[in-house]
């Protein structure tokens, strides 16, 4: 299993039946594939609806009225879904009406700051909806590989442009799960076969080890 | 009542160099394609455009949307949230050929709503402590000059002040319009369209179908026709 799938499988267990959730593009989108039986989410699409459904069997051509997701790819809306304008869509985020969002990350630091939207001089796609999501969702879950090509990503202080300050609730990597408790980065779970020293070596940020630290359990859906 | 019907070749009479245009759509979904083509064909240039994103440069993946005008160098400045799937927009920004003001999408929507609602601006927690604060401003508040966005700490929580947005023209796409411009949108194609209908001096909608007055239940109207100046019928 690759790292991304492992992370997505762990986050799938963070979400509860009936939650209203926004999954970011990329790794976060994979989470929906691993939800345990009986867990049904109302997924928000930031372009203006809740109730993201599967890709339709027949794709309506570009130019005709059709439903797309926030990445512009064709999708459907499940029964019980609802459509609205952008103001309502982002009010759902900012106003604290989402139970959780799952975002990719470039860096997270010990102040719960997140950087995930640009690398100066390299890639400046724009923040899109990431800042509104990070600032407003009740739980901000970051899905991120622990390091990138040997570079540490969990830092004392982010050095890439921030997405939001002090808003990360939970951070899941292929090595560990951390939560912020009273503003303190806390190690709560360690992946099977990984040692605490390995996590310390791969992490620049200072963190507290929870007295109840345990082994990570991931969703077994489809395994 | 004067007809709001507008022929596509009359659109050019509303266009001039240097004007500000809001365009509906999210990744081109809900951006009026014939109006985009009409703007391009008119030869108008040096536009400031305000909208969600720069849509697709690879038009096998999705519509060109505003990308049609970017590709032909008609856009001088863009206020938008995302240009990541338009390589040409990224290139023009990095080369300094086009000015891009990046703004979180939720903030764009509220700035447009504020502009169209007669409000003095928006206070949002989004962007506090990020580079969004640093976008150059030419602002005077209570006699004090600001060159970046002021942060107001209100009962202990920080909010960025964001200015309202208005435009000379808004171009919208609706699935259904009646003859007086009451609009119904299709699912994800609604997005910024209803907000922009409030915020421009002239509002032109391109509709996929036209119905007689009375055919749309007033409770189902998504944008009231009183906001719509002109309707381009299906061609």
């Amino acid at each position: 299993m690759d790292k991304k799938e492992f992370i997505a499988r762990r986050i799938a267990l963070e979400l509860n039946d009936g939650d209203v959730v926004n999954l970011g593009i990329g790794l976060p989108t994979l989470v929906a594939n691993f939800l345990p039986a009986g867990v049904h989410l109302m997924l928000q699409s930031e372009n203006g609806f809740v109730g993201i459904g599967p890709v339709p069997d027949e794709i309506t051509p570009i130019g005709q009225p059709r439903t797309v997701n926030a990445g512009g790819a064709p999708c459907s809306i499940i029964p019980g879904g609802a459509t609205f304008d952008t103001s309502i869509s982002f009010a759902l985020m900012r106003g604290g009406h989402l139970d959780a969002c799952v975002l990719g990350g470039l860096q997270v630091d010990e102040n719960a700051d997140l950087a995930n939207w640009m690398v100066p001089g390299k890639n400046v796609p724009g923040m899109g909806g990431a800042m509104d999501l990070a600032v407003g969702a009740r739980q901000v879950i970051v899905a991120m590989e622990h390091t990138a090509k040997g570079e540490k990503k969990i830092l004392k202080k982010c050095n890439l442009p921030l997405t939001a300050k002090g808003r990360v609730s939970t951070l899941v990597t292929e090595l560990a799960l951390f939560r912020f408790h009273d503003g303190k980065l806390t190690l709560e779970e360690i992946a099977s076969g990984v040692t605490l020293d390995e996590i310390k070596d791969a992490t620049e940020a200072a963190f507290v080890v929870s007295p109840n630290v345990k082994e990570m359990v991931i969703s077994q859906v489809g395994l | 009542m004067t007809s709001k019907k507008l022929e596509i070749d009359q659109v050019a009479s509303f266009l001039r160099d240097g004007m500000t245009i809001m365009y509906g759509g999210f990744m081109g979904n809900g951006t009026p394609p014939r109006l985009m083509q009409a703007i391009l064909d008119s030869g108008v240039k040096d536009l400031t455009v305000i909208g969600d994103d720069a849509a697709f440069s690879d038009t096998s993946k999705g519509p060109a949307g505003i990308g049609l005008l970017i590709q032909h160098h008609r856009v001088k400045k863009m206020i938008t949230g995302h240009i990541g799937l338009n390589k040409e927009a990224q290139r023009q920004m990095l080369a300094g050929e086009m000015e891009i003001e990046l703004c979180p999408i939720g903030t764009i929507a509220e700035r447009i709503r504020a502009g169209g609602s007669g409000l003095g601006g928006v206070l949002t927690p989004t962007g506090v402590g990020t580079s969004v604060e640093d976008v150059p401003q030419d602002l005077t508040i209570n006699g004090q000059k600001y060159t970046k966005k002021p942060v107001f700490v209100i009962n202990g929580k920080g909010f960025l002040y964001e200015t309202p947005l208005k435009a000379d023209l808004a171009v919208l796409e609706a699935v259904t319009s009646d003859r007086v411009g009451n609009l119904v949108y299709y699912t994800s194609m609604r997005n910024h369209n209803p907000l922009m209908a409030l915020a421009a001096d002239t509002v032109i909608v391109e509709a996929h179908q036209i119905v007689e007055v009375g055919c749309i239940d007033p409770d189902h109207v998504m944008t009231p026709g009183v906001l719509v100046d002109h309707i381009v019928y299906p061609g």
Side-chain angles (χ1 to χ4, degrees), chain A residues 46-47 62-63 65-68 70-71 83 85-87 90 94 117 123-128 131-132 135 162-163 165, chain B residues 26-27 29 56 62 81-84 103-106 110 113 124-126 129-132 187-192 208:
Chain A
E46 70 181 41
N47 52 330
I62 294 167
R66 63 177 194 168
T67 305
V68 302
T83 61
D85 67 42
T86 314
S87 172
F90 283 75
R94 253 189 273 98
W117 73 277
N123 188 14
V124 190
M127 67 291 284
M131 289 187 177
D132 297 284
V135 93
L162 293 184
T163 306
K165 281 181 83 72
Chain B
F26 202 116
M27 296 313 297
N29 181 244
F56 290 90
H82 199 264
I83 59 169
C103 185
I105 290 172
E110 290 305 315
R113 199 171 69 88
T124 177
T126 305
T130 77
S131 59
V132 174
T187 65
S188 57
M189 297 168 74
R190 190 180 329 183
N191 54 68
H192 297 269
H208 287 256

Side-chain angles (χ1 to χ4, degrees), chain A residues 158-207:
Chain A
C158 293
N159 53 44
L160 290 173
L162 293 184
T163 306
K165 281 181 83 72
R167 288 292 308 163
V168 176
S169 331
T170 303
L171 169 60
V172 181
T173 77
E174 75 280 15
L175 303 182
L177 180 147
F178 298 89
R179 294 187 209 276
F180 284 88
H181 289 298
D182 302 323
K184 281 202 164 55
L185 181 64
T186 307
L187 176 67
E188 292 203 341
E189 298 178 17
I190 301 179
S192 173
V194 176
T195 66
L196 181 57
D197 281 343
E198 284 171 329
I199 293 171
K200 284 183 174 164
D201 286 346
T203 307
E204 183 194 271
F207 60 86

Side-chain angles (χ1 to χ4, degrees), chain B residues 58-74:
Chain B
D58 176 354
T59 52
S60 68
K61 299 251 166 53
I66 192 68
L68 193 64
L69 302 181
I70 295 169
Q71 182 194 339
H72 291 90
H73 299 272
R74 304 303 175 79

Side-chain angles (χ1 to χ4, degrees), chain B residues 179-192:
Chain B
R179 293 187 190 281
V180 295
N182 289 308
L183 305 181
V184 176
Y185 305 99
Y186 183 82
T187 65
S188 57
M189 297 168 74
R190 190 180 329 183
N191 54 68
H192 297 269

Side-chain angles (χ1 to χ4, degrees), chain A residues 2 44 64 67 71 89-90 99 104 116-117 129 141 152 168 174 180 187 202 204 212 219 222-223:
Chain A
D2 70 10
Q44 188 210 19
Q64 290 177 28
T67 305
S89 192
F90 283 75
D99 294 293
N116 81 343
W117 73 277
I141 302 170
K152 290 176 186 172
V168 176
E174 75 280 15
F180 284 88
L187 176 67
E204 183 194 271
N212 304 314
S219 166
L223 290 180

